[in-house]
Amino acid sequence: MKFPDGFLWGAATASYQIEGSSLADGAGPSIWYRFSHTPGNVVEGHTGDIACDHYRRWREDLALMKELGLKAYRFSVSWPRVLPEGKGRVNEKGLGFYERLVEGLGEAGIEPMVTIYHWDLPASLQDRGGWANREVVGWFSDYASLLFKRLGDRVRLWITLNEPWVTAHLGYATGVHAPGMRDIFAAFRAVHHQLLAHAEAVRAMRAEGRGEIGIAVNLGPQHPASPSEEDVRAAERWDTYLNRLFLDPLFLGEYPGSILETFGWALPKGWEKDTVKIKEPGDFVGVNYYTRAVVAHDPRDPFLRARQVRQEAPHTEMGWEVYPDGLYEVLTWLRDRYGGPRMYITENGAAFSDRLEDEEVKDEARVDYLREHFLRAGRAMEEGVDLRGYMVWSLMDNFEWTFGYTKRFGLVYVDYETQKRVVKESGRWYSNVIASGEI
Ligand code: FCB
């Protein structure tokens, strides 16, 4: 299969997962700094204090990207590095880090794709309620505008929010991620305010008049465990909650009816008046795809009265089923439901139990995973899906949130003891795909 010239092959990372030096040069603490330093939240007490030490080794990492032949690099800006209190005073040293990185990428001919928010909210904004406080809309758009002004001449591709569903669900409803809240009212405020914040930032970007901006959403088919009506309904509930909660308001200007029936009472008062403002998807959709779910009705589940049923199939180290057809399904579904928007795959990849032996990592399973997913993306493009690029998660092994350093997603292996990087077999394979544009 041949991909078009100019197709943007890249790799992705996020600030808290790779940078380390969390409080260096005047940076403020983020909610992930606090959360990971709270005993019991992250496996083995791991934190992002050092991570891949990318804040200090970014030149070496840039050289690796060049060696791999990446056409694009998706990374995120740490909000509290740039604005230690989340608003007001700018920390020039923190912003300088990203200016140099962007400049370095430019010199290397690698297109930057900048995620404005990938989960590391300034802790001082969390003290004021974080995403549950409506003021966050202004805080976020001011922060986004600052980045547009300072990096906008060199950055064409922008992403407002990474996986807002995960922020709301895991951060505010189940408490598994920072800020660790279990409050459904806070969760639906976080949904609503993220939608408003995204739309505001899109408008701020348009005022600057350059570049393309979108949101990165985590999507996955939700298939019923059996044809029974109960299971079909259960799968629909999950499908709506996961796949449509953000995209329906952005593209269609309305929350899905079934969400309003189940959780409408948890939305902030007067939300109806905001729907016109929210109908602003931006220029493209960023798709983060990893797996599907098979769902059965389960009256004992307090949340959506449904549970996931594990399949007899290969799974990754995360326990996620390897299901490449799901990527094709998600891309074609987006095309059909939302009028054929432009898309980028902003994340896709897999964790496996990689071993470094004789300076090599033979991760054939990752090569297979990527090949199969690339082929499904290519097929979707042949059928009219407007897909412009593909960011593999991740450039290198890193801090996998609550799993700490125990899950490895990288194309490049990181030895955390020495900070040595070793390109995995999958990295070399990907390099050839990029060079030839062919699989
Ligand atoms: C996504 C996150 C990303 C990474 C991958 C494995 O949900 O956006 O930071 O952790 O999962």
Side-chain angles (χ1 to χ4, degrees):
M1 181 174 284
K2 179 106 185 104
F3 281 78
D5 293 339
F7 189 73
L8 219 50
W9 294 106
T13 63
S15 48
Y16 193 74
Q17 295 181 276
I18 63 163
E19 288 177 358
S21 305
S22 317
L23 303 180
D25 298 333
S30 72
I31 55 172
W32 267 96
Y33 177 84
R34 271 193 191 168
F35 189 78
S36 63
H37 279 268
T38 302
N41 283 337
V42 176
V43 166
E44 296 172 31
H46 292 170
T47 72
D49 287 1
I50 300 173
C52 309
D53 199 22
H54 171 79
Y55 187 71
R56 300 193 300 172
R57 295 171 191 262
W58 65 273
R59 283 194 179 82
E60 186 189 331
D61 293 333
L62 187 58
L64 266 173
M65 295 178 216
K66 249 175 119 167
E67 187 187 320
L68 291 171
L70 298 188
K71 306 262 188 242
Y73 173 52
R74 175 184 175 219
F75 64 95
S76 78
V77 173
S78 163
W79 186 343
R81 237 189 238 299
V82 171
L83 294 162
E85 289 86 35
K87 59 195 179 94
R89 185 176 61 90
V90 177
N91 179 31
E92 287 298 333
K93 280 191 174 164
L95 192 49
F97 169 71
Y98 299 106
E99 286 180 327
R100 285 191 296 278
L101 177 61
V102 162
E103 211 173 281
L105 287 164
E107 282 161 13
I110 299 170
E111 171 111 48
M113 179 185 262
V114 178
T115 309
I116 301 169
Y117 182 71
H118 199 129
W119 303 354
D120 42 1
L121 191 78
S124 58
L125 297 185
Q126 191 59 47
D127 291 339
R128 298 164 183 252
W131 289 104
N133 181 346
R134 191 181 175 103
E135 284 183 70
V136 75
V137 178
W139 301 333
F140 180 75
S141 63
D142 288 350
Y143 158 53
S145 301
L146 171 70
L147 298 188
F148 299 151
K149 289 213 169 66
R150 298 289 294 271
L151 304 174
D153 55 338
R154 285 155 294 174
V155 175
R156 182 176 65 91
L157 297 169
W158 295 89
I159 289 167
T160 52
L161 303 170
N162 180 68
E163 300 190 352
W165 182 87
V166 172
T167 294
H169 184 71
L170 296 184
Y172 289 80
T174 66
V176 173
H177 276 193
M181 283 175 74
R182 298 185 70 173
D183 178 340
I184 196 74
F185 290 87
F188 274 88
R189 277 163 177 67
V191 168
H192 196 67
H193 298 150
Q194 286 186 92
L195 284 165
L196 282 166
H198 161 82
E200 249 339 274
V202 171
R203 283 188 280 272
M205 158 106 222
R206 299 250 160 90
E208 289 290 319
R210 49 191 172 198
E212 291 176 31
I213 190 161
I215 193 167
V217 284
N218 51 303
L219 303 174
Q222 307 292 302
H223 294 148
S226 83
S228 79
E229 200 184 317
E230 284 197 320
D231 286 352
V232 170
R233 286 266 163 79
E236 273 170 15
R237 286 196 293 280
W238 258 100
D239 174 49
T240 309
Y241 183 54
L242 181 79
N243 295 318
R244 291 171 46 201
L245 179 57
F246 288 89
L247 294 176
D248 274 18
L250 292 175
F251 279 96
L252 312 175
E254 58 192 22
Y255 282 108
S258 59
I259 292 279
L260 292 176
E261 278 161 34
T262 322
F263 296 117
W265 45 268
L267 281 166
K269 224 169 157 236
W271 62 266
E272 297 90 340
K273 293 196 290 288
D274 295 325
T275 48
V276 179
K277 263 189 240 165
I278 283 173
K279 195 175 173 195
E280 180 49 275
D283 305 305
F284 63 85
V285 181
V287 177
N288 291 3
Y289 175 77
Y290 290 94
T291 190
R292 69 154 171 179
V294 176
V295 182
H297 179 70
D298 182 354
R300 285 161 308 180
D301 171 65
F303 201 73
L304 287 176
R305 287 165 288 112
R307 79 185 137 84
Q308 257 200 57
V309 182
R310 194 180 158 95
Q311 301 300 292
E312 285 297 324
H315 285 70
T316 70
E317 271 289 292
M318 297 297 283
W320 298 344
E321 184 188 348
V322 178
Y323 192 75
D325 284 341
L327 178 58
Y328 170 82
E329 198 176 320
V330 155
L331 295 174
T332 51
W333 171 80
L334 268 163
R335 176 199 62 196
D336 297 342
R337 183 167 179 85
Y338 300 114
R342 188 184 311 159
M343 303 176 210
Y344 290 88
I345 289 166
T346 36
E347 283 181 33
N348 172 246
F352 290 107
S353 56
D354 301 318
R355 282 207 319 270
L356 179 64
E357 274 168 341
D358 303 327
E359 295 302 297
E360 279 190 305
V361 180
K362 298 208 166 108
D363 58 338
E364 293 93 352
R366 186 172 289 104
V367 172
D368 288 345
Y369 181 100
L370 292 175
R371 181 194 300 109
E372 292 307 310
H373 286 79
F374 290 178
L375 289 171
R376 298 317 187 282
R379 198 171 111 210
M381 287 166 77
E382 284 169 0
E383 295 174 22
V385 167
D386 185 7
L387 183 70
R388 304 292 178 95
Y390 204 119
M391 307 298 130
V392 171
W393 186 270
S394 177
L395 172 65
M396 56 186 156
D397 297 338
N398 59 48
F399 176 79
E400 179 47 35
W401 309 113
T402 55
F403 297 95
Y405 299 98
T406 63
K407 307 289 179 210
R408 294 180 176 274
F409 273 93
L411 295 164
V412 175
Y413 184 92
V414 176
D415 178 340
Y416 294 109
E417 296 292 316
T418 60
Q419 288 296 344
K420 194 172 163 190
R421 279 86 161 120
V422 177
V423 177
K424 299 180 193 177
E425 191 174 308
S426 59
R428 283 201 293 271
W429 173 83
Y430 188 36
S431 213
N432 288 328
V433 172
I434 299 174
S436 65
E438 253 178 56
I439 302 166

